[in-house]
Amino acid sequence: MAASREVCEKVEDIAPLPPRSDQRRDRTAGFVIVGGGIAGVTCAEQLSALSPDDPVTLLSASPLIKSVTNFRQVGRALEEFDVEEKTTGALQKACPNVRVVHTQVRAADTDKHEVYTEDGETFPYTKLCICTGGQPKLITKDNPYVIGIRDTETVQHFQQKMANARRVVIVGNGGIALELVYEIEGCEVIWAIKDDSIGNTFFDRGAAEFFLPHLTAGKCEENKPLKRLKYTVTESSSDSPKKGDTAMGGALGPDWKDGWRMKGKHDQAAHRVQVEYQCEVQEVLTREEFTRTGQTAECFPGTSRAEEQNDDWPVYVLLTNKRLYGCDFVVSATGVVPSTGPFLHNDQFSVAPDGGLRVDDHMHTSVPDVYAAGDVCTASWEPAPQWFQMRLWSQARQMGSYAAKCMVADRDGEDIDMDFCFELFAHVTKFFNYKIVLLGRYNAQGLGKDYELLLRCTKGLEYVKVVLQAGRMQGAVLIGDTDLEETFENLIVNGMDLSPYGEDLLDPNIDIEDYFD
Ligand SMILES: Cc1cc2nc3c(=O)[nH]c(=O)nc-3n(C[C@H](O)[C@H](O)[C@H](O)COP(=O)(O)OP(=O)(O)OC[C@H]3O[C@@H](n4cnc5c(N)ncnc54)[C@H](O)[C@@H]3O)c2cc1C
Ligand SMILES: NC(=O)c1ccc[n+]([C@@H]2O[C@H](COP(=O)([O-])OP(=O)(O)OC[C@H]3O[C@@H](n4cnc5c(N)ncnc54)[C@H](O)[C@@H]3O)[C@@H](O)[C@H]2O)c1
C-alpha cells in the first residue's frame, strides 16, 4: 500500500547542539524573545513600555515581523485588531530599547542563560520568552501534493498550485478549511471532515446548517468577501518553500493585501463543494500507485463519467469511507504543531500532549527565567470557567503582553494578577462573509448535558445561540451583525440569573442592551 498515513505530531527531530560559539556579542544580558509573530512582537512592545531602560532583544527567523494595528477593545475581553507585517526597523523606531535580529535560534542552554543561533551567535539573557509559534500539523509529511498553510511562503506555494487546479481536497474542519472552502473559486472542492457537521471547531449543527447554503452559492457581488483573506499575496514568487524549509514565517494575519481571488483553472466552473462527512484520509496515492490498485476513482458527485473532467489526476485520496477521489493537491488544514524544536535539547521543559511548552498562570515554563506565549505554549493553569486556549491571534497577543508583565514583575519581585482576558474566551472573526462572535463556552464545552440553549435565527441574516446553565449564561455564538456581544459578555461575566426572562432574552423586539445596561 502506498504512503501510509503518518500524522506528524512529533516535534521536528532535535538536531545536535551547535558548536559552542565564541562569538559572544559583547552585550549585557537582558530580556530576550524568540519569535517575531504577534506573541513575540507584543511581548517586546510591552517590555519596552514597562522597562524602557533595559535591553530587549527580539530574535526572529522571519525577516518581517507581525504587529497589531487598529486595536479596538470591543468588550471587556473581546478585541478586534488588524495584523500587519512590518520591517524590523519600524519596531525599533517605536521601541528604542528593542533590537531585532533576523536569525534562527538553534538551541538554548537554560543553565547558562544563553540562546544560540544558526549563524553561531550567542545571546545571554536574564529572562527569555519563547514565542516561536507553530507549524501546520500535516496528515502526511514530505508528500509534495499535501500542503499546509502557515505563512506568506506557504500561501505563495498554495496560490501557485491553485492557478492550475481543477479539483482540490481539503482535510480538516476548522478555521483554515472553513475559510478556504468559501474562498476557493473555479475549482471543485472535496471537503473531508471527521465530523457530522461543518465547522465544528467553532459551530454546532444548527450554526452549520445556517452556513450550508453558502457552501455552493456562487459569490454574487454583494456577498463577495469584504475582508480579502489571508491567503492572497500580491506578488507571486516562483520559489516555493525549499524542501526541508520549515515554515519559519509568522502565522498569517488577516488579509493585509487586496489581492487576487483564489481562482482555480476553470473560471466558469460553479463553486462546487462536496462535503464528505465523518471520514478521514486513509491513504494518499500517486497516480502510479492508484493505477496499480485497479480501482476506479469517484466522479465529482452529480457529474457523469463522461462529464468527469478527466481521470489522470496527479494524486488520489482514499477516504476511510472508501471513496477514492483524484485531485490536483490536498490541503491539510488539520491544526498546528507548536514549534518547540530548538528548546527541547534539555528535557527540563515540560511539554503538553499537544506538543506545546506548558506554562503556568504567570506564563512561566517549567524552566527558571523562561516564559512562553502564543501558539508555542500550552496553557497549563486551572483556567477560569469560561476560558480555554485556542491558538488565535487574539490569544497570542494577550499572552505576549501578559508574559512581558510577568517577566518584569518577577524580576522586580512584585505580585501580578492575571489579565482579565483570561477570564472569558472571546473571539471575533469572519466566516462565509459573516461576522462571527464566540463567547465563553459557546458550544457548551465541558457542561455535560446539564445546560439549555436559546436560539434565534433569521435565514441568511443572523444566528444567535445562547448556552445557559442554572439560568446563567455560559456562552454564546453570534453570527451576523447582532450587536449583542457586549451585553452578552457582561451577562456571562456577572453570572446574573436570567431564568426570569426565559425566551424574552432573545426576543428581537426587546432591546436588551438597554434592559441590562
Ligand atoms: C492560515 C491561517 C489563518 C489564521 N487565521 C486566523 C484568524 O482569522 N483569527 C485568529 O485569531 N487566528 C488566526 N490564525 C492563528 C494565528 O495566526 C496564530 O494563532 C497566531 O498568529 C500565533 O502567533 P505566534 O506569535 O504565537 O506565532 P507565529 O505567528 O507563528 O510567529 C512565530 C514567529 O517565530 C519565529 N520563529 C519560529 N521558530 C524560530 C526559531 N527557531 N528562531 C527564530 N525565530 C523563530 C517565526 O519566524 C515567527 O516570526 C490563523 C493561522 C493560520 C495559519
Ligand atoms: N477565523 C479564525 O478564527 C481562524 C481561521 C483560520 C485559522 N485559525 C486558527 O489557526 C490555527 C490553524 O487552523 P486550522 O484550521 O489548521 O486548525 P483548527 O484547529 O481550527 O482545525 C483543525 C481541524 O482539523 C481536524 N483534524 C485534525 N487532525 C485531523 C486528521 N488527521 N484528519 C482529519 N481532520 C483532522 C480537527 O478535528 C479540526 O477540525 C487554529 O488555531 C485556528 O483556530 C483561526
Side-chain angles (χ1 to χ4, degrees):
M1 187 86 96
S4 63
R5 192 166 72 81
E6 175 234 343
V7 175
C8 20
E9 292 190 318
K10 66 180 174 36
V11 177
E12 67 197 33
D13 299 332
I14 299 173
L17 268 170
R20 286 277 308 113
S21 145
D22 53 6
Q23 287 185 39
R24 266 181 77 96
R25 280 197 191 183
D26 178 22
R27 68 173 72 75
T28 47
F31 296 112
V32 171
I33 300 157
V34 183
I38 294 184
V41 172
T42 305
C43 185
E45 289 169 338
Q46 186 70 271
L47 282 172
S48 177
L50 295 170
S51 195
D53 302 326
D54 292 293
V56 179
T57 304
L58 176 67
L59 308 175
S60 175
S62 42
L64 291 173
I65 55 175
K66 283 268 183 347
S67 68
V68 169
T69 57
N70 306 328
F71 181 84
R72 295 173 300 287
Q73 193 72 42
V74 177
R76 292 172 65 189
L78 204 57
E79 58 188 46
E80 279 187 296
F81 54 85
D82 296 326
V83 170
E84 275 188 20
E85 284 200 314
K86 285 189 171 171
T87 60
T88 57
L91 176 62
Q92 292 173 149
K93 197 160 157 232
C95 306
N97 62 324
V98 172
R99 186 163 51 90
V100 183
V101 180
H102 176 202
T103 184
Q104 186 167 342
V105 164
R106 294 290 296 149
D109 183 326
T110 52
D111 295 330
K112 292 186 174 57
H113 278 54
E114 291 180 341
V115 171
Y116 309 113
T117 70
E118 181 101 352
D119 36 19
E121 292 207 73
T122 297
F123 289 85
Y125 65 83
T126 48
K127 297 267 182 208
L128 171 68
C129 193
I130 301 172
C131 301
T132 45
Q135 295 161 41
K137 181 182 79 171
L138 300 179
I139 55 169
T140 180
K141 240 186 168 179
D142 299 334
N143 183 322
Y145 293 104
V146 178
I147 68 167
I149 298 180
R150 179 74 193 175
D151 54 19
T152 313
E153 270 186 72
T154 49
V155 166
Q156 284 165 346
H157 187 208
F158 165 68
Q159 285 228 314
Q160 276 167 16
K161 289 180 123 17
M162 265 312 295
N164 295 310
R166 301 148 298 172
R167 180 185 300 161
V168 297
V169 170
I170 296 176
V171 185
N173 197 13
I176 294 178
L178 274 170
E179 292 187 334
L180 285 183
V181 162
Y182 179 65
E183 284 295 325
I184 287 179
E185 289 184 317
C187 169
E188 293 174 346
V189 175
I190 303 286
W191 185 10
I193 61 176
K194 292 198 284 192
D195 319 287
D196 61 1
S197 64
I198 62 167
N200 87 324
T201 310
F202 300 95
F203 305 123
D204 63 1
R205 293 183 65 120
E209 297 290 325
F210 177 84
F211 284 123
L212 276 180
H214 294 277
L215 264 193
T216 44
K219 281 196 269 319
C220 43
E221 267 321 297
E222 62 270 16
N223 71 4
K224 265 188 181 169
L226 299 177
K227 175 186 93 168
R228 288 299 309 120
L229 258 177
K230 335 163 181 58
Y231 306 96
T232 52
V233 280
T234 44
E235 65 285 347
S236 77
S237 91
S238 54
D239 51 357
S240 59
K242 287 171 242 16
K243 192 163 168 35
D245 269 9
T246 47
M248 295 306 295
L252 288 159
D255 182 350
W256 62 89
K257 307 255 187 316
D258 272 332
W260 306 312
R261 283 198 161 293
M262 284 179 283
K263 264 197 178 22
K265 190 175 175 76
H266 298 285
D267 278 358
Q268 77 287 0
H271 185 71
R272 301 203 313 168
V273 178
Q274 167 66 17
V275 186
E276 293 287 350
Y277 291 93
Q278 293 177 297
C279 67
E280 292 188 54
V281 171
Q282 185 174 321
E283 276 191 288
V284 179
L285 302 107
T286 62
R287 187 184 319 168
E288 296 67 36
E289 288 161 343
F290 162 67
T291 311
R292 280 203 296 274
T293 65
Q295 287 181 279
T296 310
E298 302 278 338
C299 298
F300 193 85
T303 50
S304 66
R305 182 74 40 205
E307 290 166 318
E308 178 65 352
Q309 291 178 41
N310 70 22
D311 54 8
D312 65 339
W313 302 99
V315 65
Y316 290 79
V317 176
L318 175 61
L319 301 174
T320 45
N321 61 11
K322 300 309 171 206
R323 294 225 176 109
L324 178 68
Y325 285 103
C327 64
D328 288 297
F329 67 96
V330 180
V331 179
S332 183
T334 44
V336 176
V337 177
S339 299
T340 53
F343 306 98
L344 298 190
H345 292 285
N346 57 16
D347 54 6
Q348 286 178 309
F349 282 102
S350 169
V351 178
D354 68 1
L357 297 178
R358 285 185 190 282
V359 290
D360 66 14
D361 57 0
H362 272 57
M363 307 311 287
H364 271 134
T365 66
S366 52
V367 177
D369 294 326
V370 182
Y371 301 72
D375 283 10
V376 73
C377 80
T378 301
S380 302
W381 64 83
E382 184 54 38
Q386 278 116 16
W387 185 88
F388 52 88
Q389 182 179 9
M390 193 182 273
R391 289 182 164 94
L392 300 168
W393 303 317
S394 43
Q395 291 198 11
R397 192 201 71 76
Q398 291 158 355
M399 286 181 166
S401 169
Y402 178 56
K405 294 176 190 171
C406 293
M407 292 162 85
V408 172
D410 294 349
R411 179 201 60 185
D412 302 343
E414 287 164 7
D415 231 353
I416 181 170
D417 292 331
M418 224 172 182
D419 283 350
F420 178 80
C421 56
F422 298 106
E423 288 298 313
L424 175 69
F425 177 89
H427 182 42
V428 58
T429 186
K430 255 191 196 298
F431 287 124
F432 297 100
N433 219 27
Y434 283 88
K435 177 178 176 180
I436 312 283
V437 175
L438 304 171
L439 292 170
R441 300 168 182 243
Y442 59 85
N443 270 346
Q445 289 91 335
L447 295 182
K449 297 233 181 297
D450 170 24
Y451 63 87
E452 55 173 316
L453 298 180
L454 288 182
L455 288 178
R456 182 174 95 192
C457 179
T458 311
K459 198 164 176 305
L461 196 64
E462 65 162 27
Y463 177 91
V464 176
K465 177 184 85 172
V466 164
V467 180
L468 295 159
Q469 188 175 57
R472 285 159 177 78
M473 195 180 288
Q474 301 297 318
V477 172
L478 304 175
I479 299 175
D481 294 316
T482 67
D483 289 333
L484 292 168
E485 50 268 30
E486 263 191 83
T487 305
F488 282 9
E489 195 185 64
N490 289 328
L491 290 176
I492 294 171
V493 172
N494 66 33
M496 184 180 178
D497 182 357
L498 299 167
S499 23
Y501 305 97
E503 295 190 357
D504 286 353
L505 195 65
L506 294 189
D507 181 335
N509 303 311
I510 297 174
D511 189 344
I512 63 166
E513 288 97 294
D514 300 341
Y515 205 87
F516 289 108
D517 244 358

